[in-house]
Amino acid sequence: VGLGVALLLLTTALPSALEVRHQRGDARSDITYGKPTVQKGDNTLLSASVSTTFRDTEVRGREVEPEGPRAPLPPGVAKFPAVGEMVVSPKLKSLLESDDGKLLRERLPDRIVGTIGESGLIGSHELAFYRGAEGLAAQGVDGARITRIDRYGNPDPTDSDSDPVLVLLVLVVFVVLLMPVAVFITAAVRFGGERRDRRLAALRLVGADGRSTRRIAAGEALAGAVLGLVLGAGFFLIGREVAGSVEVFGQSVFPSYLNPSPLLALLVAVAVPAAAVLVTLFALRGVVIEPLGVVRTAKPARRRLWWRLLLPLAGVAMLYPMVGQGRDGGDFNQYLVTGGVILLLVGVTALLPWIVEAVVARLGAGAVSWQLAVRRLQLSSGTAARMVNGIAVAVAGAIALQMLFTGTDSAYSKDTGYDVSRAQMQVEVPEGGKLADAAKALAATKGVMNAYAFQEGYVADGPGDEARWTRATVADCATLRQVAALPSCREGDTFVVRGADSDEEAGAAPVKAGGKLYFETSEDPERSKAVAWTVPKGIKAARSVTDPTGYKRGGVLLTPSALGSTAVPGVRGQIYVRLDESLPDAREYVRNTAARINPLEEPMNWVSVERNKRYDSIRTGLFVGAVCVLALIGASLLVSQLEQLRERRKLLSALVAFGTRRRTLSLSVLWQTAIPISLGLLLASAVGLTLGAVLLRMTGTAVRVDWASVLSMTGVGAGVVLVVTLLSLPPLLRLMRPDGLRTE
C-alpha cells in the first residue's frame, strides 16, 4: 500500500512539475520575435542566442551585454559576467570540468565565475550558460538572434498547446497509468487473507460474534492502509529528493517542483483507507468464520456474467458520442473520456475471474504438475485472477495507447525531405564572412568527409517592388552537380535551370542572355541597395535534380568568377557537411569549427523525420510512468506469490513427504501462474484493441492495428510474470523441506 500511495502522490505531483517548468521557461524568456524593439536606455540589455547542442542534449546559451546600470539580470544570476566570463548551470559546470566535456569546453572556453540558481533553470540537469559580450548592437538587433529587452519574461504568456488530440493523449496516459496502481492497492489489502480469517476464528472462540469479527477485520485493514499512507508519504518524500538528482529521457525537475495538488493528495488520503475497508468487507461476504475454523468447503456460487459485461459496455457507451469528433470538433469531454476508459479497464478486472473460473473448470487430465496446478486453480480461481489483474489492466491500457500513438504519429511527425545519405549537417556563414575559408576549415575538420559550399540568394528582374524574383546559387562545378545535371562545367560558366519544383518556377524572373538581374547587397533592407548583374551570352541550360535538402531548385547557377565582386554580399553562404558516421563525436567537431565561423548560428543537424515536441514529451512521460507501474506490479506479483506459497507451506511439505518430486511442484507453481496470466493477456488484448479502436475513431483516424506493438506489450507483461515466477522458486524450494510439517 505504501508503494502504491507513493506512486499515486508522484503522479498527482506531475501536473504541478510540468506547470512550474513552463512558468520558469516563460520567466526567463528574452526573445521578442517581431515585437516592437525597445529603445536603448540605462535599463536595457542586449541578449544574443548562442545555444548549442552537445551529444543530442540542448545547451541553452545567451550572450549578454548590459547597456546601463539598471539592465535586468537574468533569473538565477547574481551579477552580469564580464567579457570572457560566464555563469553556468551546476550540471554544465560539472560537465565542463569532467573529461566527458572536453569537446564542449573547446566551444565554451570562457572562465566560469558563478552558477545559475534554481529560479533560472527548468530542471536540475539542464545545461545552460550566460556569458559576457560586447559589440552586439553592431551585429544588428533583429528580435530573433539578438534582441534588446528592458525586462525578462514572455510578453505574451500562453498555456501549453491545447490541441484536443494531445489533451486526449494526456488524459488517457494518466488513466492508464493510475488504474493498475489502484488495482495493485486493492490486491495488496487482501494479502494474508487466509491467515487473517484464522485469527478471526480464534476471536470467535473467545466470544466475538460474526458482526464483531467483520468490524475487527475492517479495523485491521484500516490500520494497515493508514500505515501504508504514512509509509507512502515517506517513500514519496524520499523519491522526491531522488528525482532531483536523476534525468529520465532527457527530462529533469527540482524536488520543489513535485508538490501534489492538496485536493488530489486529500483524495488519495481518503480513498485508500476507504477502499481497504470496502475491499475487506467485500472479501468476507462469502466466508463463514466459526469458532473452530473457517468454512470454505461449501460449493461457491457460480460467478454471474451479465453484470460483468455491463462495465465495458458502459465504458464504450460513454466514449461513443465523441466518435468522429477529431481535432476540429473542439475539446473532448474530459469526464466522459476518463469515465469511459476507467470502466473499460475495470471491466478487465471484473471479467477475468469469471473467465479463469469458466476455463479451469473444464481443464482435467495431464501430467501430475498440471493436475496439481489445475486443482489448486479450481479451488481458488479468484485468488489467481486477482494476482494477474494488475498486469492485465496495464497491458490492456498499453495496447490501447500504443494503437493511439501509432495511429496519430503521422499527424505529429513530418518528412523533412533532407537526404541524410548525402549530408548530415548544415552550417550557415554570416553575411560578410568568407565562404571559401569556412569551407576549407570544415573540410579539414575531424570526422568530415565532404563540405559542399554554396552561396545562395535571390535576384530580381528590376529594382522596384513589382519585380519578379528567382534563386541564384553560386558554387564550384563539383558542388553545383549536387543540385543540377550539368552538360559540362568549368570556372566562369553560368547556367539557367529547368525542371525545378513548380512553386519555384511559378512567377519566377526570366533569365535571358544579355538581360539584367539585380542582387541586393545586404539582408538588412535599410542598408541594402540593388546591384545590376548582366546575364552572360554564353549561359547554358541545366536540368534540376533533387538537392541534399530534398528540393529541386530553379533559377540561375553560377561559378564564383561569373559573379561580380559587388554582388557577392547579396548572397549568403551555406555549407552542407557529409560526416564520417563511424566517428562517434563527428558532430561535436563540426559544431566546434562552426562556432568559430559563426558564433550566433548553431549548425543544423539534419534528420529525415521531425516530431512535434509536445507529442514526444507525452510519449516520454508514458514510458517513464510505464516503467514505474511495471516495477510496482512486479513487486505486487512477487509479494502475492510468496504469500500464497507461505500459506501452503504445510501442504507442500506433505506432498514432498509423500514422494512428490520437487521439479513437479516447481512446474505446478509455474502452471498456476501461466494459466491465469495467459487468459489475462488474451482478455487484455481484446479490451485493449477495443479501447484503441474507439480512441482512434474519436480522433478521426483510420483504425489500424500494429500487431508488432500488441505482441510486444503482451510480451512485456508475460516477461514480468516470468521474472516474478523465477524469483519465487528459491523460496518455494525452502518451503518444501520436511520441517514444514512441524506444528504446535
Side-chain angles (χ1 to χ4, degrees):
V1 173
L3 288 171
V5 166
L7 200 55
L8 283 177
L9 289 173
L10 182 63
T11 311
T12 58
L14 282 178
S16 164
L18 295 173
E19 182 61 27
V20 174
R21 280 173 62 95
H22 186 66
Q23 289 171 359
R24 290 276 167 89
D26 268 355
R28 69 183 185 184
S29 177
D30 57 355
I31 305 297
T32 54
Y33 291 119
K35 294 286 178 186
T37 305
V38 176
Q39 295 302 310
K40 180 180 178 180
D42 67 349
N43 66 335
T44 58
L45 172 77
L46 287 173
S47 177
S49 175
V50 287
S51 297
T52 185
T53 304
F54 183 68
R55 293 175 182 161
D56 299 326
T57 302
E58 184 182 349
V59 183
R60 183 183 189 272
R62 295 290 187 268
E63 285 189 350
V64 290
E65 182 183 349
E67 295 184 301
R70 296 192 297 125
L73 273 168
V77 175
K79 67 174 185 176
F80 287 111
V83 176
E85 297 178 346
M86 65 180 179
V87 290
V88 299
S89 64
K91 187 66 179 177
L92 180 58
K93 185 174 188 287
S94 63
L95 175 62
L96 290 173
E97 291 172 350
S98 70
D99 291 339
D100 282 345
K102 184 180 177 183
L103 280 172
L104 183 58
R105 194 65 174 139
E106 290 180 23
R107 214 175 310 161
L108 304 175
D110 307 79
R111 185 166 62 91
I112 297 172
V113 294
T115 55
I116 303 170
E118 183 179 321
S119 61
L121 301 169
I122 62 170
S124 58
H125 279 58
E126 186 184 17
L127 304 179
F129 68 90
Y130 292 93
R131 70 184 179 202
E134 61 182 356
L136 290 178
Q139 299 179 49
V141 179
D142 56 9
R145 289 181 306 158
I146 302 175
T147 189
R148 178 180 283 120
I149 58 171
D150 56 9
R151 66 183 179 86
Y152 276 93
N154 190 343
D156 296 312
T158 56
D159 293 330
S160 50
D161 192 346
S162 59
D163 179 335
V165 173
L166 291 181
V167 173
L168 174 69
L169 275 169
V170 172
L171 266 178
V172 176
V173 165
F174 268 92
V175 174
V176 164
L177 291 180
L178 287 178
M179 275 303 298
V181 180
V183 171
F184 165 78
I185 290 175
T186 54
V189 168
R190 297 182 70 172
F191 288 162
E194 291 185 15
R195 283 189 298 161
R196 178 200 61 210
D197 294 347
R198 286 197 293 274
R199 284 199 305 278
L200 294 176
L203 288 169
R204 287 295 314 272
L205 191 62
V206 296
D209 59 16
R211 188 172 295 175
S212 297
T213 56
R214 279 166 170 71
R215 283 204 301 274
I216 292 166
E220 277 191 10
L222 183 64
V226 170
L227 183 59
L229 276 176
V230 174
L231 287 171
F235 292 149
F236 168 72
L237 291 174
I238 294 168
R240 186 169 175 260
E241 291 304 312
V242 170
S245 60
V246 297
E247 184 178 31
V248 184
F249 294 105
Q251 304 294 314
S252 64
V253 295
F254 285 100
S256 61
Y257 292 8
L258 290 168
N259 290 321
S261 155
L263 190 62
L264 290 174
L266 181 64
L267 182 63
V268 171
V270 172
V272 170
V277 172
L278 291 173
V279 167
T280 302
L281 294 176
F282 184 75
L284 289 173
R285 79 196 190 288
V287 179
V288 179
I289 299 170
E290 295 294 342
L292 296 178
V294 181
V295 179
R296 295 179 190 273
T297 52
K299 185 176 173 63
R302 286 184 61 83
R303 289 182 167 87
R304 298 182 185 277
L305 178 62
W306 65 269
W307 69 267
R308 299 171 192 273
L309 287 172
L310 287 180
L311 292 171
L313 290 175
V316 173
M318 290 179 79
L319 298 175
Y320 187 76
M322 293 173 285
V323 166
Q325 180 174 316
R327 178 173 290 98
D328 303 321
D331 290 340
F332 294 95
N333 185 304
Q334 297 187 14
Y335 299 104
L336 285 179
V337 170
T338 305
V341 175
I342 286 175
L343 284 175
L344 267 164
L345 295 180
V346 169
V348 172
T349 67
L351 283 167
L352 189 56
W354 182 88
I355 291 172
V356 172
E357 182 186 71
V359 170
V360 299
R362 290 164 174 77
L363 297 177
V368 174
S369 60
W370 173 265
Q371 290 187 54
L372 284 170
V374 167
R375 187 67 187 129
R376 179 68 193 180
L377 289 172
Q378 288 170 345
L379 286 172
S380 57
S381 61
T383 304
R386 205 160 52 240
M387 197 173 106
V388 299
N389 264 337
I391 281 284
V393 169
V395 169
I399 289 172
L401 272 174
Q402 196 63 37
M403 282 181 66
L404 187 55
F405 274 111
T406 303
T408 57
D409 187 75
S410 59
Y412 296 98
S413 58
K414 63 178 182 180
D415 188 351
T416 60
Y418 292 124
D419 185 350
V420 293
S421 65
R422 292 162 69 185
Q424 294 81 36
M425 296 185 80
Q426 179 177 341
V427 177
E428 190 169 311
V429 179
E431 186 177 336
K434 293 184 177 180
L435 180 66
D437 292 347
K440 190 175 179 181
L442 281 167
T445 299
K446 186 177 179 181
V448 173
M449 297 177 70
N450 294 101
Y452 304 113
F454 296 87
Q455 285 180 305
E456 299 178 346
Y458 284 88
V459 290
D461 61 358
D465 292 337
E466 303 299 320
R468 289 177 294 175
W469 295 82
T470 193
R471 187 192 292 249
T473 305
V474 185
D476 60 37
C477 289
T479 303
L480 289 179
R481 286 195 170 92
Q482 294 292 319
V483 301
L486 308 178
S488 64
C489 181
R490 65 174 182 267
E491 186 56 41
D493 282 351
T494 308
F495 304 88
V496 60
V497 183
R498 306 290 182 225
D501 285 334
S502 56
D503 62 333
E504 184 147 334
E505 287 194 328
V511 180
K512 297 178 182 177
K516 285 197 180 296
L517 294 175
Y518 293 84
F519 281 89
E520 294 292 332
T521 57
S522 173
E523 290 182 342
D524 185 350
E526 295 181 3
R527 294 186 290 150
S528 180
K529 59 182 180 179
V531 174
W533 173 75
T534 303
V535 179
K537 292 184 179 178
I539 189 168
K540 303 175 184 178
R543 181 174 52 83
S544 181
V545 297
T546 305
D547 69 12
T549 65
Y551 197 76
K552 284 188 176 182
R553 66 179 72 197
V556 60
L557 307 180
L558 305 94
T559 50
S561 61
L563 182 65
S565 59
T566 53
V568 169
V571 289
R572 191 175 184 87
Q574 301 283 354
I575 304 173
Y576 302 157
V577 180
R578 186 179 174 205
L579 301 172
D580 178 2
E581 298 277 25
S582 64
L583 186 67
D585 280 325
R587 284 175 172 77
E588 299 313 312
Y589 292 115
V590 170
R591 288 184 181 117
N592 285 349
T593 303
R596 294 191 289 271
I597 295 169
N598 186 2
L600 293 182
E601 199 74 55
E602 186 187 4
M604 183 190 297
N605 187 49
W606 284 7
V607 291
S608 53
V609 177
E610 197 171 56
R611 288 184 183 277
N612 178 293
K613 286 187 177 179
R614 182 157 159 75
Y615 177 83
D616 254 6
S617 66
I618 294 170
R619 199 163 199 162
T620 299
L622 169 64
F623 288 140
V624 175
V627 168
C628 296
V629 169
L630 279 174
L632 188 69
I633 287 171
S636 161
L637 281 171
L638 186 59
V639 172
S640 180
Q641 184 86 304
L642 296 177
E643 181 68 29
Q644 287 189 48
L645 291 175
R646 193 161 57 246
E647 289 185 346
R648 290 158 50 205
R649 176 190 299 173
K650 195 170 292 186
L651 172 63
L652 292 169
S653 298
L655 285 168
V656 171
F658 275 110
T660 311
R661 289 184 299 180
R662 282 177 168 78
R663 189 179 69 177
T664 302
L665 285 177
S666 300
L667 279 173
S668 77
V669 170
L670 187 61
W671 283 123
Q672 282 173 57
T673 308
I675 294 170
I677 197 61
S678 301
L679 296 172
L681 291 176
L682 284 172
L683 175 62
S685 300
V687 173
L689 289 170
T690 303
L691 177 56
V694 173
L695 291 172
L696 283 173
R697 296 301 302 137
M698 286 165 59
T699 61
T701 309
V703 176
R704 185 168 57 86
V705 179
D706 183 1
W707 289 108
S709 297
V710 173
L711 292 173
S712 65
M713 292 298 108
T714 51
V716 167
V720 170
V721 174
L722 181 62
V723 169
V724 166
T725 305
L726 292 175
L727 289 174
S728 66
L729 286 180
L732 171 67
L733 295 173
R734 283 200 303 273
L735 292 171
M736 291 182 201
R737 293 170 183 165
D739 60 6
L741 289 172
R742 286 183 187 156
T743 189
E744 293 182 16

